[in-house]
Amino acid sequence: LEHRPKIESNYPATDVTITTLHTVLGWPGNRAEVMAMLDAIISKATAVDGVTGEKGIAGYSVIGPRDVAELLGRYARSEPGFIRETLRRHPRLHAMYRFYLDTWCLSQYYPRSGDTGAFAMKNPAYVAVPFSRNPGINPSSYAFLWELYEATGDKDFVRALYGANGSAAAGLPYDLIAADPAEFQADVTKVIAESGAEIKLPSVNKTEWGLAILRSGEGTNARAAWLDYDSGERHGHADAMTIGLFAKGLDLLPDFGYPPVQYGGWTAPRAVWYTQTTAHNTVAVDGKNTKPGTGKTTLWFDGNQFRIVRASGPKLIGGEQYERTLALVDVSARDSYLIDVFRVAGGAEHTRFLHGHFGKLSTQGLFPEPAEEARYGQVMRGFKRDPKPSLGWTATWNIEDHLKYLPPSSEVHLRHTDLTHGAEVQLAESWVAVGLYGGTADAWIPSVLARRRAQQPPLTSTFIGVLEPFERESNLSAIRRLELQDSEGKLRSEGDVGIEIQMADGHSDLFLSKDIEGQAGQSPTLLVEKAPGVRFDGDLCLIRFNAAKQPERVLFCQGRSLRVGDVLIRAKNEQASFEIDLQNQSAPVVSGPADVIESIEIAGARIWPK
């Protein structure tokens, strides 16, 4: 106790040790002093969306909740109801253990944010507590999660402990002093029988931590796209605005994970490489790392078939604009695609990186020639360059199931279709370690770079892509960028984006996104696409047309009105966001707040309000 520096460790391990020592030496006479120490630990450990804020989402960041769980479990043994009372004083304890449920994707993966995990590898267990079937004299994590359930009513904690035990109740709770294991097992079995074993999660946005996850599908058809809009912090990387995608049972846009320190320590080139902006699926400005900090969410909607997030963080590059929009769009119950719009202003060179899974790359619309590129040292190689690619070029990752996660007959692809104006393209291979630190297995994975340059700063760029994971056949038949006009017939700026996506089944989607941030202070004007007769006064919209070219679904985000054909939709205020299913025009179905809709008209006849 008198020499704390001798026992310093990752937070909150040292504080937990000191609190435990005081408890052993003076409990219960010093209860008030110990409880004050415990309150201080919990307050700090839950400060950022319920967690410490330390990065390494399935690594360093779980030290906090695991240490707190064991500490609370010890007190709960001597004082029944201790955890319930602690939750009353610290409601964010619920958020601490929900955080690792909410960020668990497909019940198999966590986003590789910061120093955590290995390239493309799974996390098949809930990581917030140290599950063990032989904890010795330590408290049982299974019992701890059950007490959280009893205190909060959150059945996902029961599902988590049940899944961690091989989807069985036998043997629970693995605690030497459990009063009645048979009763515990019966209680768990009853909850699962009544409510099911699957943890079903909506899209989530952890605004303090800087991580948004868009989700769709269920079971083996589940998919999740994520946007990490912060940079730095303890054990963090310069990864602002990086994206990832889990689909088809794989991590298709893997973050590289924990730096491979086995190649010479933390300062060795290969370890440093993992922490740099260029090793992430984001945009590097002038080749520099993003600055420490957290962006902010400027658009968020979790709909029925359309889900969208936009985050902004100009200070992360010391520039004028650094903003990414990500939309997860369902094609069917099995499949989705991503729309990715990245607006950047500042510096004289912008390079967007896409690092794929294990496999081979095939392209269309590109004619690359071998090129010299020395700036990346020994961690990227085999560069080829096309200075003037065709608009709408594609790069397809033909996935190799290197880690053997899929059935032998599986065939998975990820296709990127690019609609960026004035960008050269580079194809390359990037070095990654295979497995966690300690081994020497490695691989070279396909990477795609799109680069724009200016003679003088500030350069402004709008990188536009459509990403589709699919199995043997693509669900999309054609993708094109639209030429947008304002209400007076003038061409809109480069930052205003229109995309048409045609599907193999005859449906098509029309996506419109206004450069709200880049046009700050300018008077609002309509985005107009003449061919299908669309006029939109607002921020962002997505319209699905059926095979007969009639609108059947609309995502309306932060606007006043939308006219498409003979359909007219008006909102009550400019902050309104909602999704409308128009397949039954006499009874439209609204996802989101319906009271923000002023009216829906078809051919002049009002169908909403009903």
Side-chain angles (χ1 to χ4, degrees):
L1 286 176
E2 293 176 355
H3 301 280
R4 177 183 175 118
K6 293 185 177 182
I7 59 167
E8 285 292 354
S9 185
N10 291 298
Y11 184 82
T14 307
D15 288 354
V16 166
T17 301
I18 289 173
T19 302
T20 301
L21 292 172
H22 277 288
T23 305
V24 170
L25 292 172
W27 189 272
N30 64 348
R31 189 181 194 283
E33 178 187 359
V34 168
M35 293 306 293
M37 298 172 70
L38 182 61
D39 286 345
I41 291 172
I42 296 174
S43 295
K44 184 175 180 179
T46 61
V48 182
D49 275 322
V51 292
T52 64
E54 188 165 13
K55 302 305 175 183
I57 197 168
Y60 287 97
S61 71
V62 302
I63 294 173
R66 288 184 174 192
D67 283 0
V68 169
E70 286 199 345
L71 185 62
L72 294 180
R74 294 187 190 110
Y75 290 108
R77 283 176 163 176
S78 61
E79 288 192 13
F82 185 88
I83 290 176
R84 184 184 296 273
E85 171 58 23
T86 306
L87 271 162
R88 186 192 64 78
R89 296 199 319 278
H90 298 279
R92 276 203 162 199
L93 268 176
H94 187 190
M96 171 182 273
Y97 295 97
R98 276 266 16 144
F99 184 92
Y100 297 94
L101 290 169
D102 293 341
T103 56
W104 199 18
C105 298
L106 283 58
S107 294
Q108 298 179 79
Y109 295 98
Y110 284 96
R112 294 274 179 254
S113 180
D115 295 338
T116 179
F119 182 83
M121 287 185 67
K122 290 183 176 181
N123 289 102
Y126 172 67
V127 297
V129 293
F131 287 114
S132 173
R133 296 184 180 183
N134 183 18
I137 62 171
N138 285 323
S140 163
S141 293
Y142 298 94
F144 176 76
L145 288 181
W146 179 261
E147 289 203 53
L148 281 183
Y149 156 66
E150 289 188 312
T152 63
D154 190 337
K155 295 178 181 178
D156 280 344
F157 292 130
V158 184
R159 298 183 179 104
L161 73 89
Y162 181 78
N165 194 45
S167 296
L172 293 172
Y174 305 105
D175 190 329
L176 285 175
I177 64 169
D180 192 340
E183 181 181 4
F184 188 100
Q185 294 162 24
D187 289 343
V188 169
T189 300
K190 181 180 179 182
V191 171
I192 297 300
E194 292 175 349
S195 304
E198 185 179 356
I199 299 173
K200 297 181 180 180
L201 301 170
S203 302
V204 294
N205 188 15
K206 302 298 184 179
T207 58
E208 296 170 356
W209 213 82
L211 177 66
I213 302 174
L214 306 175
R215 287 191 174 89
S216 183
E218 296 183 356
T220 57
N221 294 322
R223 50 265 187 197
W226 55 274
L227 170 65
D228 184 345
Y229 51 95
D230 81 326
S231 178
E233 303 296 337
R234 290 168 294 163
H235 286 285
H237 296 170
D239 58 358
M241 301 298 171
T242 192
I243 61 170
L245 174 63
F246 304 113
K248 307 300 179 184
L250 296 174
D251 185 350
L252 292 176
L253 287 174
D255 193 291
F256 293 175
Y258 197 101
V261 294
Q262 67 268 34
Y263 289 91
W266 284 97
T267 60
R270 289 179 177 179
V272 173
W273 158 236
Y274 270 43
T275 70
Q276 294 177 327
T277 297
T278 52
H280 295 83
N281 297 312
T282 187
V283 169
V285 176
D286 294 335
K288 299 177 181 178
N289 287 330
T290 53
K291 300 176 183 297
T294 304
K296 65 177 181 179
T297 305
T298 57
L299 181 62
W300 171 261
F301 187 79
D302 184 20
N304 183 273
Q305 293 187 26
F306 304 150
R307 298 158 181 90
I308 191 111
V309 62
R310 184 179 65 216
S312 174
K315 292 182 180 179
L316 298 171
I317 60 166
E320 301 169 16
Q321 188 174 19
Y322 197 61
E323 175 198 87
R324 196 163 201 172
T325 303
L326 197 63
L328 180 65
V329 184
D330 285 355
V331 174
S332 66
R334 288 175 54 89
D335 291 294
S336 298
Y337 67 86
L338 288 177
I339 297 174
D340 176 26
V341 178
F342 205 142
R343 299 179 175 101
V344 186
E349 180 185 279
H350 301 160
T351 306
R352 186 200 58 211
F353 294 81
L354 285 175
H355 300 290
H357 197 86
F358 300 103
K360 301 295 184 182
L361 195 71
S362 59
T363 64
Q364 288 186 327
L366 294 178
F367 299 94
E369 297 289 340
E372 294 294 328
E373 182 65 82
R375 71 173 74 183
Y376 303 108
Q378 297 180 353
V379 293
M380 295 187 78
R381 71 181 188 185
F383 280 87
K384 296 181 180 179
R385 176 175 177 264
D386 186 341
K388 294 184 178 180
S390 302
L391 188 66
W393 60 267
T394 67
T396 302
W397 283 265
N398 303 300
I399 304 302
E400 174 196 344
D401 184 20
H402 187 82
L403 301 176
K404 308 304 179 187
Y405 287 155
L406 302 179
S409 60
S410 300
E411 182 180 326
V412 178
H413 309 270
L414 176 65
R415 177 168 297 159
H416 167 78
T417 302
D418 199 279
L419 303 170
T420 306
H421 286 147
E424 69 173 40
V425 177
Q426 289 185 320
L427 309 179
E429 292 181 320
S430 298
W431 181 89
V432 294
V434 179
L436 279 170
Y437 46 87
T440 56
D442 61 2
W444 292 88
I445 53 100
S447 297
V448 178
L449 290 64
R451 177 174 294 155
R452 301 185 76 253
R453 294 184 174 98
Q455 293 296 325
Q456 296 291 333
L459 171 65
T460 60
S461 298
T462 303
F463 293 95
I464 305 170
V466 176
L467 286 152
E468 183 202 10
F470 61 94
E471 293 173 60
R472 284 170 173 77
E473 297 291 336
S474 170
N475 296 290
L476 309 181
S477 59
I479 301 170
R480 70 183 181 100
R481 186 168 181 181
L482 305 175
E483 202 171 71
L484 302 180
Q485 301 176 355
D486 64 18
S487 55
E488 297 177 352
K490 298 178 181 178
L491 290 178
R492 296 295 305 161
S493 69
E494 175 69 15
D496 292 330
V497 175
I499 307 171
E500 182 184 57
I501 299 105
Q502 296 180 3
M503 302 178 202
D505 66 0
H507 284 75
S508 62
D509 289 343
L510 183 69
F511 174 83
L512 299 175
S513 175
K514 186 178 179 182
D515 184 9
I516 296 293
E517 186 172 320
Q519 299 169 19
Q522 299 182 23
S523 60
T525 55
L526 294 169
L527 295 180
V528 180
E529 167 57 24
K530 287 190 174 181
V534 176
R535 289 179 172 236
F536 177 54
D537 181 5
D539 190 333
L540 181 147
C541 73
L542 182 59
I543 307 159
R544 173 153 296 169
F545 296 88
N546 59 23
K549 306 303 180 185
Q550 297 299 313
E552 66 176 31
R553 185 173 294 273
V554 171
L555 171 65
F556 184 109
C557 292
Q558 297 183 175
R560 294 305 302 265
S561 66
L562 169 67
R563 179 179 290 278
V564 49
D566 60 3
V567 177
L568 176 61
I569 301 170
R570 291 191 178 95
K572 292 181 180 178
N573 61 70
E574 294 180 353
Q575 299 305 310
S577 294
F578 46 85
E579 182 181 335
I580 305 174
D581 182 349
L582 292 168
Q583 294 183 79
N584 182 355
Q585 294 189 350
S586 62
V589 178
V590 177
S591 299
D595 59 352
V596 299
I597 303 174
E598 181 178 302
S599 64
I600 305 174
E601 298 177 12
I602 298 181
R606 176 175 292 212
I607 63 169
W608 186 281
K610 299 178 182 179

